[in-house]
């Protein structure tokens, strides 16, 4: 078109780095572009403080009882708690141990002395580091007592909870500079009672954050939340996390769930009742089932020496291994067949490193049968396992928007008549995680299952509220696990722009077929959800485009091919209508608009690491405004940048990498079809009545070349009216994409000649 031909003369400069699935603001993540390391760290701290302020619920007594015995008849644990607490109080009072005691006073006295000092600190201590020794001494005291009881067969102790040897240290398995005050670790009961020499998040049961003053509990909780997110990144077998704060003589225990942080009432070490409460918590952690510790019993760590199955949650010393090489044995239950298949992971390709949300993890895995046998292992077919906690209808089997159901529809549709011009994710196993080995229906892992550990019933979350009125009001989530093939690789593994176009074109052919043949609208087209699959297993061969992740997908009306208005997607690539949550149906055009933003993003920052090496990430690009700020502000920014072809060219295309020849042309063609469709009464999509003249100039900057109207005027909004022509516009878009696909499949020199 005449529009696309104008692009080739536009000068373009570069930027860097394809966004990852990590969404924490770390270097290399989507939200890190255009910002410094210090700025990213400050944003992460701010987010943690906001969580502590808005989504933390204090004085939840159920937290301290969460790991307690499930039966009132379990007198052994209760007796052990009383015995250890009585022993502590006797020693604090200067009394001798009874002659019948199997404990050694010489062993316990050093810890008792530290605890005694702790009881006298009052509302503040002179140095925060004193609290490290006080807290460690308390934990070791209880561990010594439990060890003695286990040796004498007085109590069935499953594990020991021990403090870290290092204090105020930087874990080596994360790329930030944050320092953990103290960590708690879990070790087998046969382990000697001592501080654990380990400095990785992957080996932590929980984190203790200390403050010198009793009034600093809010700051301590914010830091605990900030640091604990790294535990999710390195531990894929966690359902929820425990953590503690110590402010002078005040101890708080926190449970971090998908949507809230529950904080216990204060435990005062200066008071006997408080000391007994802390003894009770430590004993319960040592004797309870693993699910109460926040671990997933259906996902077990595999030892690294011989790939044997690990028992319990003993983790060993992780200081001497590659953390990326952690393997898991995962049980995958299929809701339809009622059968469980077990897999061993080969690598983790996505981790859940946020405190809140779906906690999505993805692995490349092989069947457990034959794993570890050299000959058999070579023949094992690799699959992808996706493990996530999405919001769900209750009961879970009636959820029409379950990704499992969409994948079943896709499988049933294309197995009958396999497509020739695109590939699709093939469901192998799909089901909800069941915590009971007998797969009972009441053992399905959901938010309600976690609340059952708390001994209360969850209440539904009221509609349209920013924060739950009570801690019991929580969003219902279901723990789903999906096994599928083929195995794909990140879109940033493409070798050149031709391969990128081939991959995008195939993914969108599948997208169009989804709408037409399966009545499914994807609604989350992003760089994370389009993968590269090679024809050959060694990573070579022609690239294929695989569209994945149906968490935000929805069934569309058979006739209208439309879905109800609702915000969904990945922030930098969300359509303007999505960002504004406009009162109009979401259609395939919103997904195609997301594709345009992907092309613009990658053409600006570089399509692969080879192209990104020489580019300064901190250099500002107008496109970086797409992932910073409120969604409505991003929408206003995009409206102005897409207002006309001139503004799109001068503000966005101008910053494309100079080496790319096809991508500017493709972006122009997609823009023309999406925003300049003639039947939508004009291409201008800004709304002058809602946007001031000065604000337009500030957003667009000096690169904006179009003359602005002196007075606001009523204008047609193609974002709404284009829904009347969805089929026509999608047809144009698919034709444009297919033309560039055909062009990209020719040799580079030939494709460039045709483009010119």
């Amino acid at each position: 078109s005449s529009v696309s031909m104008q692009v080739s003369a536009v000068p373009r400069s570069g930027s860097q780095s394809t966004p990852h699935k990590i969404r924490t603001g770390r270097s290399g993540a989507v939200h890190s572009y255009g910002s410094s390391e210090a700025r990213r760290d400050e944003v992460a701290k701010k987010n943690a403080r906001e969580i502590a302020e808005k989504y933390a619920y204090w004085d939840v007594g159920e937290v301290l009882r969460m790991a307690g015995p499930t039966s009132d008849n379990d007198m052994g644990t209760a007796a052990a708690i009383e015995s250890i607490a009585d022993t502590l109080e006797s020693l604090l009072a200067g009394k001798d141990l009874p002659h019948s005691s199997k404990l050694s006073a010489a062993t316990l006295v050093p810890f008792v002395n530290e605890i005694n000092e702790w009881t006298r600190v009052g509302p503040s201590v002179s140095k925060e580091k004193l609290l490290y020794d006080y807290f460690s001494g308390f934990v070791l005291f209880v561990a010594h007592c439990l060890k003695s009881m286990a040796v004498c067969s007085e109590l069935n102790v499953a594990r020991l909870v021990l403090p870290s040897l290092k204090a105020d240290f930087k874990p080596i398995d994360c790329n930030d500079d944050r320092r953990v005050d103290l960590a708690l670790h879990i070790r087998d009961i046969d382990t000697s009672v001592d501080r654990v020499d380990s400095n990785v998040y992957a080996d932590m049961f929980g984190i203790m954050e200390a403050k010198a003053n009793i009034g600093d509990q809010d700051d301590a909780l914010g830091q605990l939340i900030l640091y604990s997110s790294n535990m999710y990144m390195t531990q894929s077998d966690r359902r929820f996390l425990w953590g503690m704060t110590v402010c002078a003589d005040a101890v708080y225990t926190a449970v971090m769930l998908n949507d809230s942080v529950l904080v216990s009432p204060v435990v005062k070490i200066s008071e006997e009742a408080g000391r007994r409460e802390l003894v009770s918590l430590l004993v319960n952690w040592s004797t309870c089932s693993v699910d109460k510790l926040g671990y997933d019993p259906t996902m077990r760590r595999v030892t690294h020496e011989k790939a044997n199955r690990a028992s319990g949650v003993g983790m060993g010393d992780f200081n001497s291994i590659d953390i990326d090489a952690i393997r898991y044995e995962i049980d995958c239950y299929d809701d339809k067949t009622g059968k469980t298949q077990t897999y061993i992971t080969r690598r983790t390709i996505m981790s859940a490193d946020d405190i809140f949300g779906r906690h999505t993890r993805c692995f490349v895995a092989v069947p457990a049968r034959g794993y570890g046998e050299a000959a058999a292992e070579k023949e094992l077919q690799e699959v992808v396992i996706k493990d996530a906690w999405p919001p769900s209808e209750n009961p879970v089997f009636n959820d029409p928007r379950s990704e499992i159901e969409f994948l079943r529809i896709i499988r049933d549709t294309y197995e009958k008549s396999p497509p020739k011009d695109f590939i699709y994710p093939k469901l192998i196993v799909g089901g909800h995680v069941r915590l009971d080995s007998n797969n009972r229906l009441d053992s399905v892992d959901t938010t309600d299952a976690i609340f059952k550990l708390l001994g209360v019933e969850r209440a539904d979350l009221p509609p349209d509220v920013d924060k739950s009125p009570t801690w019991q009001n929580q969003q219902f989530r279901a723990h789903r696990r999906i096994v599928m093939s083929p195995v794909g690789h990140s879109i940033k593994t493409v070798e050149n722009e031709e391969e990128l176009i081939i991959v995008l074109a195939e993914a969108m052919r599948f997208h169009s077929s989804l709408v037409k043949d399966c009545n499914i609208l994807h609604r989350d087209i992003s760089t994370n959800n389009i993968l590269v699959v090679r024809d050959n297993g060694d990573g070579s061969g022609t690239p294929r485009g695989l569209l994945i992740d149906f968490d935000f997908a929805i069934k569309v009306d058979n006739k209208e091919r439309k879905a109800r208005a609702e915000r969904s997607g990945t922030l930098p690539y969300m359509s303007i209508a999505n960002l504004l949550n406009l009162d109009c149906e979401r259609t395939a055009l919103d997904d195609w608009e997301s594709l345009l933003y992907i092309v613009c993003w990658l053409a600006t920052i570089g399509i692969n690491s080879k192209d990104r090496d020489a580019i300064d990430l901190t250099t500002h690009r107008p496109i970086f405004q797409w992932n910073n700020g409120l969604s409505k502000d991003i929408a206003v920014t995009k409206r102005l940048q897409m207002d006309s072809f001139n503004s799109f060219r001068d503000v966005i295309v101008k910053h494309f990498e100079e080496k790319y020849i096809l991508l500017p042309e493709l972006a122009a063609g997609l823009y023309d079809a999406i925003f300049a469709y003639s039947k939508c009464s004009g291409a201008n999509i800004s709304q002058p009545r809602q946007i001031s003249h000065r604000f337009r100039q500030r957003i667009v900057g000096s690169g904006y070349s179009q003359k602005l109207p002196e007075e606001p005027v009523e204008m047609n909004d193609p974002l709404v009216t284009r829904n009347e022509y969805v089929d026509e516009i999608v047809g144009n878009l698919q034709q444009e994409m297919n033309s560039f696909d055909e062009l990209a499949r020719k040799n580079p020199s030939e494709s460039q000649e045709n483009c010119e």
Side-chain angles (χ1 to χ4, degrees):
S1 66
S2 58
V3 171
S4 64
M5 288 301 101
Q6 298 178 46
V7 179
S8 57
V10 178
R12 298 178 292 278
S13 58
S15 188
Q16 182 168 326
S17 200
T18 306
H20 297 195
K21 198 70 170 181
I22 299 173
R23 298 188 175 106
T24 60
R26 289 186 177 85
S27 178
V30 171
H31 298 283
S32 70
Y33 294 106
S35 62
S36 65
E37 188 72 37
R39 174 57 181 162
R40 291 193 292 271
D41 188 61
E42 183 55 39
V43 169
K45 291 178 180 177
K46 179 182 177 182
N47 290 340
R49 288 194 298 268
E50 288 180 353
I51 290 174
E53 292 170 2
K54 296 179 64 176
Y55 302 105
Y57 299 84
W58 295 80
D59 296 323
V60 181
E62 287 80 357
V63 168
L64 294 173
R65 298 187 288 274
M66 188 175 184
T70 55
S71 172
D72 294 335
N73 297 324
D74 191 350
M75 303 302 294
T77 301
I81 293 170
E82 289 302 309
S83 174
I84 295 173
D86 289 345
T87 299
L88 175 59
E89 296 307 314
S90 295
L91 292 173
L92 288 174
K95 299 178 182 179
D96 294 331
L97 290 173
H99 294 295
S100 59
S101 175
K102 304 294 191 300
L103 296 168
S104 167
T107 301
L108 297 179
V109 165
F111 307 125
V112 174
N113 291 338
E114 291 174 331
I115 298 170
N116 192 34
E117 289 184 28
W118 196 7
T119 65
R120 301 168 186 264
V121 300
S124 65
V125 292
S126 58
K127 296 180 179 179
E128 182 182 293
K129 66 180 182 180
L130 291 172
L131 296 173
Y132 308 157
D133 291 333
Y134 297 160
F135 181 81
S136 295
F138 201 112
V139 174
L140 289 169
F141 176 89
V142 174
H144 271 290
C145 294
L146 286 170
K147 178 86 169 183
S148 176
M149 291 178 174
V151 171
C152 299
S153 301
E154 297 176 9
L155 181 68
N156 182 19
V157 182
R159 64 194 69 88
L160 294 176
V161 178
L162 301 171
S164 58
L165 175 64
K166 299 178 179 67
D168 187 25
F169 66 97
K170 180 189 179 305
I172 62 175
D173 56 343
C174 189
N175 62 1
D176 59 43
D177 292 323
R178 299 173 191 131
R179 304 181 69 85
V180 171
D181 284 347
L182 203 72
L184 289 175
H185 301 274
I186 286 176
R187 289 295 183 266
D188 187 81
I189 187 61
D190 295 329
T191 305
S192 61
V193 178
D194 204 351
R195 291 172 171 84
V196 176
D197 186 11
S198 176
N199 63 343
V200 292
Y201 284 110
D203 190 29
M204 296 177 187
F205 163 62
I207 293 171
M208 187 278 280
E209 178 62 28
K211 294 294 179 184
N213 298 309
I214 199 168
D216 291 336
Q217 63 265 32
D218 290 335
D219 288 342
L221 181 62
Q223 287 185 263
L224 175 66
I225 292 169
L226 179 66
Y227 303 159
S228 295
S229 63
N230 290 329
M231 291 176 60
Y232 273 128
M233 182 181 68
T234 57
Q235 300 184 36
S236 294
D237 54 346
R238 296 303 290 263
R239 299 163 65 224
F240 57 86
L241 297 177
W242 290 88
M244 305 184 82
T245 62
V246 175
C247 303
D249 73 333
V251 179
Y252 296 88
T253 303
V255 173
M256 288 160 273
L257 307 178
N258 296 78
D259 300 291
S260 63
V261 178
L262 309 182
V263 186
S264 73
V266 62
V267 170
K268 297 282 285 184
I269 298 303
S270 58
E271 301 171 1
E272 179 181 345
R275 295 190 290 273
R276 287 182 178 271
E277 196 73 77
L278 185 52
V279 168
S280 175
L281 180 64
L282 292 169
V283 171
N284 286 332
W285 278 344
S286 301
T287 57
C288 69
S289 56
V290 295
D291 61 318
K292 292 186 177 183
L293 297 175
Y295 293 97
D296 183 349
T298 68
M299 186 183 294
R300 300 165 294 278
R301 295 200 184 188
V302 177
T303 57
H304 294 268
E305 293 80 10
K306 297 181 180 179
N308 293 325
R309 279 60 166 161
S311 60
V313 293
M315 302 182 193
D317 181 6
F318 275 79
N319 286 333
S320 59
I321 69 163
D322 178 7
I323 299 303
D324 290 335
I326 296 175
R327 303 286 187 263
Y328 297 94
E329 181 185 60
I330 305 178
D331 298 332
C332 301
Y333 179 82
D334 190 274
D335 288 340
K336 288 291 186 182
T337 65
K339 297 180 180 179
T340 298
Q341 297 187 44
T342 303
Y343 294 84
I344 302 289
T345 65
R346 281 184 168 168
R347 60 184 181 275
T348 300
I349 54 179
M350 178 180 173
S351 58
D353 54 359
D354 285 338
I355 285 291
F356 285 172
R358 298 167 182 260
H359 292 167
T360 302
R361 290 105 167 188
C362 293
F363 313 88
V364 174
V366 294
R369 181 177 296 179
Y371 183 81
E373 302 172 12
E377 193 169 341
K378 292 180 180 179
E379 304 301 323
L380 296 177
Q381 178 190 3
E382 286 191 335
V383 298
V384 174
I385 298 177
K386 178 179 179 180
D387 184 274
W389 286 78
S392 174
E393 298 289 334
N394 191 9
V396 295
F397 307 106
N398 295 340
D399 187 359
R401 296 175 61 176
S402 165
E403 183 176 18
I404 299 171
E405 292 305 312
F406 288 128
L407 288 172
R408 287 194 182 116
I409 293 172
I410 292 169
R411 180 182 61 187
D412 294 344
T413 300
Y414 298 121
E415 273 188 348
K416 300 174 184 176
S417 180
K420 296 181 180 180
D421 58 346
F422 61 81
I423 55 176
Y424 63 94
K426 299 178 181 178
L427 179 67
I428 299 172
V429 177
H432 295 81
V433 173
R434 306 217 176 186
L435 300 175
D436 183 81
S437 59
N438 295 320
N439 296 322
R440 296 197 320 269
L441 187 62
D442 61 357
S443 71
V444 175
D445 197 13
T446 64
T447 310
D448 287 351
I450 295 176
F451 268 67
K452 187 177 180 180
L453 299 179
L454 289 161
V456 298
E457 289 190 7
R458 179 196 59 86
D460 288 333
L461 185 68
D464 302 322
V465 295
D466 190 35
K467 178 180 178 179
S468 307
T470 69
W471 68 269
Q472 293 96 333
N473 293 102
Q474 297 293 326
Q475 182 170 219
F476 181 78
R477 294 178 180 271
H479 190 182
R480 292 176 182 148
R481 192 168 290 160
I482 298 168
V483 182
M484 52 193 163
S485 67
V487 175
H489 300 275
S490 168
I491 199 169
K492 66 182 179 181
T493 61
V494 296
E495 293 291 332
N496 48 52
E497 64 175 333
E498 286 83 9
E499 285 197 352
L500 175 63
I501 291 172
I502 291 170
V503 167
L504 295 179
E506 180 163 3
M508 293 312 290
R509 283 197 295 273
F510 173 43
H511 177 276
S512 295
S513 178
L514 274 176
V515 176
K516 177 184 176 183
D517 301 321
C518 302
N519 299 321
I520 295 173
L521 186 61
H522 189 276
R523 303 200 312 161
D524 190 15
I525 303 298
S526 72
T527 54
N528 301 311
N529 294 336
I530 298 177
L531 301 181
V532 180
V533 177
R534 300 283 178 175
D535 288 340
N536 300 327
D538 60 359
S540 63
T542 304
R544 309 290 303 271
L546 178 65
L547 180 62
I548 62 166
D549 194 348
F550 293 82
D551 275 338
F552 289 110
I554 194 169
K555 289 284 285 184
V556 293
D557 183 87
N558 289 332
K559 295 181 180 179
E560 299 297 328
R561 308 290 185 195
K562 297 176 181 179
R564 65 177 182 271
E566 182 182 34
R567 186 180 291 129
S568 65
T570 302
L571 192 60
Y573 317 112
M574 288 174 65
S575 70
I576 297 171
N578 245 331
L579 289 165
L580 288 173
N581 207 17
L582 291 181
D583 187 21
C584 61
E585 292 88 351
R586 302 294 177 264
T587 71
L589 294 180
D590 292 278
D591 285 355
W592 278 95
E593 187 179 335
S594 295
L595 179 74
L596 169 61
Y597 298 146
I598 288 175
V599 172
C600 294
W601 185 277
L602 295 181
T604 302
I605 65 175
I607 63 175
N608 54 39
S609 56
K610 180 176 63 176
D611 289 356
R612 299 190 306 259
D613 284 343
I615 303 171
D616 181 9
L617 266 180
T618 63
T619 303
H620 176 73
R621 303 285 190 274
I623 204 171
F624 292 155
Q625 296 170 300
W626 294 0
N627 60 30
N628 292 304
L630 300 175
S631 58
K632 63 179 181 180
D633 294 333
I634 298 172
V636 170
T637 298
K638 284 186 175 180
R639 270 190 179 275
L640 290 167
Q641 293 170 344
M642 304 293 156
D643 184 40
S644 70
F645 180 75
N646 287 343
S647 59
F648 174 63
R649 177 194 63 196
D650 295 347
V651 180
I652 300 300
V653 181
K654 176 181 178 180
H655 294 280
F656 282 14
E657 272 286 289
E658 293 182 1
K659 67 179 293 182
Y660 301 138
I661 304 299
L662 294 178
L663 293 183
E665 298 286 346
L666 174 59
L670 295 176
Y671 173 91
D672 197 17
I674 295 170
F675 293 118
Y677 189 58
S678 59
K679 294 183 181 179
C680 291
S681 302
N684 289 32
I685 63 169
S686 64
Q687 295 176 320
R689 288 191 182 280
Q690 299 180 22
I691 305 171
S692 70
H693 196 100
R694 179 180 299 177
F695 186 61
R696 288 186 71 180
Q697 291 178 315
R698 180 173 70 82
I699 289 292
V700 177
S702 58
Y704 190 78
S705 63
Q706 185 177 7
K707 183 179 179 181
L708 300 173
E710 294 297 328
E711 296 294 334
V713 295
E714 287 288 355
M715 301 180 70
N716 170 71
D717 187 354
L719 299 180
V720 177
T721 58
R722 72 184 184 185
N723 281 353
E724 300 174 17
Y725 310 100
V726 172
D727 290 341
E728 295 177 38
I729 298 176
V730 168
N732 293 340
L733 286 162
Q734 193 67 70
Q735 184 177 2
E736 186 81 16
M737 201 72 228
N738 290 340
S739 296
F740 275 89
D741 180 31
E742 182 179 349
L743 196 61
R745 291 179 185 275
K746 300 177 180 179
N747 64 66
S749 59
E750 189 178 352
S751 65
Q752 292 178 15
E753 289 174 5
N754 289 338
C755 185
E756 293 170 357

